[in-house]
Amino acid sequence: MTIRVALVDDQALVRAGFRMVIDSQPDLRVVAEAGDGQQAVEALAALSPQDRADVVLMDVRMPVLDGLQATPLVLALPDPPRVVVLTTFAMDDYVVQAIAGGASGFLLKDAEPEDLLAAIRTVHGGDAVIAARATSALLRHVGPLLSAGTAAARGESAPTDPAGRALVDRLTAREREVLVLMTYGASNQEIAQRLVVSETTVKTHVGRVLAKTGSRDRVQAVVLAFRCGLVGADDLLRDATS
């Protein structure tokens, strides 16, 4: 099966580079390009069913309509594609907003071609892009922003989300443990090694975490973990310096 990809970036050379890498793969094909968010929504809506995009690589900073504004519009389309936000370390706050708005992950624009291809396949498979080495590092920057940003928005000293906390409280102790490890960008294999269980068991736990919290994918579950205070900035900083 061919995975159909749409490229949204205001730099034509960047799109050309991505297209060259993607079209070199037998299982991937670029079906649309756009230079801003508005063009992206229109182009995606105009695609025929057989050419409908499965995954959109969405830049954040663009004229007319940026990636933050375009992502929810893309996800509101019939049979919407999954969105991967393209960003840099200097734009962590934008990444938080994009993921909270429904993006299935984020990827550094200077990622290796192999990481880009793996991200497309991972997201198309129903997972989220938070486990690769580069995005795990970025998650350490995003996590504190999720915690601090949520608290500041509500005028609170610590992040709380009663509705989210109620969902997390439905998890078993082991499922909460798995969710915490997910917030650090751990893959199923890494979680299995940490908990000394099989990878199949971890997949079962992850599936239950997503189902019980109503999360579409790992990214949404991780955002929920930060917003309800299960994991916060102190945890990430302590882990980073240990």
Side-chain angles (χ1 to χ4, degrees), residues 6 40 58 103 125:
M58 178 80 72

Side-chain angles (χ1 to χ4, degrees), residues 148-162:
T150 302
R154 301 185 182 189
E156 300 167 349
S157 59
T160 58
D161 180 348

Side-chain angles (χ1 to χ4, degrees), residues 15-88:
R15 297 200 309 271
F18 284 152
R19 174 184 279 276
M20 181 174 64
V21 171
I22 292 169
D23 282 345
S24 71
Q25 302 297 300
D27 62 328
L28 303 177
R29 177 167 63 95
V30 174
V31 295
E33 291 188 31
D36 61 62
Q38 185 60 47
Q39 289 180 8
V41 174
E42 294 172 355
L44 291 168
L47 290 172
S48 61
Q50 60 267 29
D51 287 328
R52 186 170 293 153
D54 300 304
V55 177
V56 175
L57 298 183
M58 178 80 72
D59 189 21
V60 173
R61 287 181 173 173
M62 296 182 293
V64 185
L65 194 68
D66 65 30
L68 299 180
Q69 299 167 309
T71 293
L73 297 179
V74 167
L75 296 176
L77 294 172
D79 192 17
R82 289 177 173 265
V83 176
V84 175
V85 173
L86 301 174
T87 185
T88 67

Side-chain angles (χ1 to χ4, degrees), residues 96 100 142-162 222-229 231:
V96 174
V142 173
L145 288 171
L146 281 168
S147 300
T150 302
R154 301 185 182 189
E156 300 167 349
S157 59
T160 58
D161 180 348
V222 167
V223 170
L224 177 65
F226 280 110
R227 285 185 163 170
C228 73
V231 176

